Amino acid sequence: MGEAIVITSGKGGVGKTTTSANIGTALALQGKKVCLVDTDIGLRNLDVVMGLENRIIYDLVDVVEGRCKIHQALVKDKRFEDLLYLLPAAQTVDKSAVKPEQMHKLINELKQDYDYIIIDCPAGIEQGFQNAIAGADRAIVVTTPEVSAVRDADRIIGLLEKTKTVESPKLVINRIRNHMMKSGDMLDVDEITTHLSIELIGIVADDEEVIKASNHGEPIALNPNSKASIAYRNIARRILGESIPLQPLEDKNKSVFGKIKQFFGVR
Amino acid sequence: MKKRQNVTIKGTKDGIVLHLDDSCSYEELKKELDEKLSANQTNEGERHLTPVKVDVGNRYLNDAQREEIKNLIRQKKNLVVDDIESNVVTRAEVDKLKAENEVVTVSRIIRSGQVLEVPGDLLLIGDVNPGGTVIAGGNIFIMGSLKGIAHAGVFGNDQAVITASSMQPAQLRIHDCLNRAPDKAQNAEKREMECAYIDDNHQIIVDRLQVLINLRPNLNRFEGGH
């Protein structure tokens, strides 16, 4: 019996979809059987980030309405041997096409066959959010070091705490710009964690490579040389229960020794 | 004297007290009260209003009956009912009174969009985050930091106070007074262990916690000791 983890944030554009794709990929890299579920019905893009867009035949709404079997709608990621699958959202209808009970049933069925179900939640706190958390056992709240994103994360945590079925949520701070945090122009990691008072499960630096990679439909987690990739892989390992210290935020070591280390891929 | 009197009038230094017997029927009482007061109209010339206290003993009067008694007495030119005292209250009234005087302890974080409302005093073990609201009929004591909205004395108690270990509220409200944070935050000023109260000018003042010891002595619930 697998576990369902919802990736949510409240605010849009903080990196829910990127986080979902990369945590999913990183878990698959660890040898876990993973199914990504895109619940952003009407505005799907997890398939684009994963580079699986043109393989979609059926979608989540087709499954829920009984037009196909679950396994027919699942898109297999060829980069992994039978480990990573995507259940895409429908694009032609909107979020009211699915009810929380239906989602709950669907996720429970998926839990029979997969180790981890990663649910990509839409922005907002309406029906789409209710659908996304309906079947979830755990939650990861993504925020960025901006006041507005932290405010919305706070609201979302409040709503998640009211949902008895979801374990206490974990926090991912995304898009950290170290120089801004140092200069005090951005909220720092400690400030955000104290404010939201939930457990921090990972920090991800702002990295242009992430954007490049998702534009190519290749999650950054596949690239072992990127800092963001390491961060996502670490999050995946923490989800699996390993205890790994947070990556230091300092920029790459520019000393000769550092460069040599870098050359040999030592981190 | 054919029977015990149901209505006795006593003069005290604060005015007249009407003792109404609690064993006779209500109708009987009303009748006798009417008779008694009509008979006693002696000093009619005087325009001065005399305050009257009514003591009904162990009789429960509902709102309509209270009104009736008041009207009955008020009709007697220079008498005005100050207060009706009864030894009896209903369970509902007691529950309400108890709730309003109780300190409710809550241990959680009030997050954005959440509202916590209690009828009496609130002791919050946790924070009020921005966008969160706590409302109390009485005082609000916050052990953590207050970054949202706190509204004390919501039913009209202007003696209510708000305290917080870290006072950085978006808004403070006490009864009908409102005070909001300055638009430009004071640079890194530590606002620790502070309280808010309404002063004589009907303004909300934020000050050191310790000033309450003199300003609100009724916050003391502890009796006895040395």
Side-chain angles (χ1 to χ4, degrees):
Chain A
M1 188 82 167
E3 241 185 330
I5 306 175
V6 62
I7 314 287
T8 181
S9 74
K11 190 175 180 294
V14 297
K16 285 180 294 298
T17 301
T18 313
T19 307
S20 305
N22 284 301
I23 290 180
T25 306
L27 281 169
L29 283 170
Q30 293 280 327
K32 297 290 169 193
K33 208 169 172 202
V34 180
C35 181
L36 299 166
V37 179
D38 189 354
T39 60
D40 201 347
I41 300 167
L43 286 170
R44 72 174 179 208
N45 36 37
L46 185 53
D47 50 327
V48 183
V49 173
M50 293 298 294
L52 301 171
E53 189 180 15
N54 42 27
R55 299 179 196 213
I56 296 172
I57 297 165
Y58 293 111
D59 57 47
L60 192 148
V61 174
D62 290 326
V63 177
V64 163
E65 293 183 350
R67 281 193 290 272
C68 69
K69 293 272 187 296
I70 292 186
H71 69 88
Q72 290 177 292
L74 292 173
V75 183
K76 183 175 166 182
D77 192 323
K78 287 268 192 249
R79 288 165 293 211
F80 293 91
E81 283 296 324
D82 202 32
L83 281 177
L84 187 59
Y85 286 81
L86 168 72
L87 179 57
Q91 189 67 321
T92 48
V93 285
D94 66 25
K95 280 150 185 97
S96 56
V98 179
K99 289 193 187 67
E101 305 81 63
Q102 294 173 315
M103 274 305 294
H104 192 259
K105 189 166 159 268
L106 174 74
I107 300 295
N108 270 343
E109 274 177 57
L110 284 171
K111 280 205 284 197
Q112 309 298 327
D113 297 328
Y114 293 88
D115 298 323
Y116 286 97
I117 323 289
I118 306 292
I119 306 164
D120 183 20
C121 177
I125 53 169
E126 294 85 12
Q127 171 109 41
F129 170 74
Q130 299 300 341
N131 286 340
I133 63 166
D137 305 308
R138 292 161 74 173
I140 290 178
V141 176
V142 183
T143 188
T144 60
E146 285 167 80
V147 175
S148 52
V150 173
R151 202 60 57 86
D152 289 2
D154 193 38
R155 177 91 171 101
I156 286 294
I157 295 164
L159 293 172
L160 285 169
E161 281 173 346
K162 259 203 283 178
T163 315
K164 295 281 178 282
T165 49
V166 182
E167 226 178 81
S168 71
K170 305 277 187 289
L171 182 68
V172 168
I173 304 176
N174 201 5
R175 299 245 180 92
I176 294 174
R177 294 191 203 175
N178 195 33
H179 63 279
M180 285 185 80
M181 235 177 220
K182 265 190 180 159
S183 64
D185 294 326
M186 229 178 203
L187 300 170
D188 74 41
V189 172
D190 286 341
E191 219 175 320
I192 299 169
T193 317
T194 331
H195 180 101
L196 296 175
S197 51
I198 60 171
E199 195 189 317
L200 185 66
I201 198 173
I203 52 174
V204 184
D206 196 30
D207 189 347
E208 286 172 13
E209 293 297 321
V210 175
I211 302 170
K212 257 194 238 169
S214 60
N215 284 347
H216 288 123
E218 292 225 339
I220 191 83
L222 289 171
N223 170 7
N225 297 318
S226 147
K227 222 172 172 187
S229 164
I230 307 285
Y232 283 120
R233 288 175 185 210
N234 283 346
I235 294 173
R237 289 167 68 186
R238 289 186 196 110
I239 289 173
L240 295 173
E242 287 182 49
S243 105
I244 297 155
L246 289 177
Q247 241 184 321
L249 283 168
E250 268 69 51
D251 290 328
K252 278 177 195 140
N253 201 338
K254 289 284 191 299
S255 69
V256 181
F257 185 60
K259 277 190 179 155
I260 295 167
K261 274 214 297 194
Q262 207 183 318
F263 180 77
F264 287 107
V266 182
R267 270 170 192 272
Chain B
M1 188 75 48
K2 50 188 188 306
K3 59 168 184 172
R4 240 185 95 225
Q5 287 198 334
N6 291 332
V7 177
T8 42
I9 304 176
K10 273 185 188 161
T12 68
K13 60 177 189 303
D14 303 323
I16 300 167
V17 180
L18 290 175
H19 290 274
L20 307 185
D21 191 76
D22 51 27
S23 52
C24 66
S25 83
Y26 179 65
E27 290 305 319
E28 218 175 306
L29 183 76
K30 242 170 52 177
K31 205 171 130 225
E32 200 179 317
L33 183 66
D34 191 43
E35 281 168 13
K36 236 216 187 114
L37 289 174
S38 306
N40 268 19
Q41 276 178 305
T42 46
N43 47 352
E44 265 196 64
E46 208 178 326
R47 276 277 170 262
H48 186 69
L49 281 178
T50 315
V52 180
K53 268 204 181 125
V54 182
D55 183 1
V56 295
N58 293 334
R59 181 193 296 274
Y60 177 71
L61 293 179
N62 60 33
D63 288 347
Q65 289 171 331
R66 275 170 181 264
E67 216 36 52
E68 209 172 2
I69 297 274
K70 274 188 188 175
N71 283 334
L72 199 70
I73 298 173
R74 214 171 281 156
Q75 279 163 14
K76 311 300 160 201
K77 285 178 183 139
N78 52 2
L79 294 182
V80 62
V81 178
D82 196 28
D83 191 19
I84 297 180
E85 262 178 40
S86 167
N87 297 339
V88 190
V89 282
T90 60
R91 188 171 284 266
E93 283 170 340
V94 173
D95 285 346
K96 189 167 166 261
L97 211 66
K98 187 163 169 269
E100 281 173 12
N101 283 300
E102 213 169 33
V103 181
V104 178
T105 312
V106 177
S107 173
R108 60 179 249 230
I109 291 169
I110 309 303
R111 300 184 182 276
S112 177
Q114 296 181 328
V115 180
L116 174 66
E117 194 168 356
V118 300
D121 288 2
L122 170 67
L123 175 62
L124 180 70
I125 304 166
D127 302 334
V128 182
N129 278 355
T133 307
V134 285
I135 300 171
N139 307 301
I140 297 175
F141 310 111
I142 297 164
M143 304 282 283
S145 50
L146 169 60
K147 295 176 187 161
I149 299 174
H151 192 171
V154 72
F155 306 122
N157 177 4
D158 60 3
Q159 292 293 300
V161 299
I162 301 167
T163 72
S165 296
S166 172
M167 188 71 108
Q168 310 151 43
Q171 268 182 24
L172 288 173
R173 302 177 190 169
I174 299 175
H175 178 29
D176 57 353
C177 274
L178 190 147
N179 190 346
R180 72 173 169 81
D183 286 330
K184 279 263 167 73
Q186 299 107 317
N187 25 341
E189 196 186 329
K190 269 205 172 169
R191 316 226 50 153
E192 283 180 344
M193 288 297 170
E194 291 198 312
C195 68
Y197 60 91
I198 297 186
D199 72 351
D200 300 335
N201 302 322
H202 215 61
Q203 294 287 316
I204 295 182
I205 305 291
V206 179
D207 207 337
R208 290 169 58 237
L209 187 67
Q210 287 75 2
V211 301
L212 288 181
I213 297 167
N214 294 321
L215 280 167
R216 296 284 185 271
N218 54 348
L219 281 175
N220 270 311
R221 296 259 170 101
F222 181 67
E223 283 163 22
H226 301 288

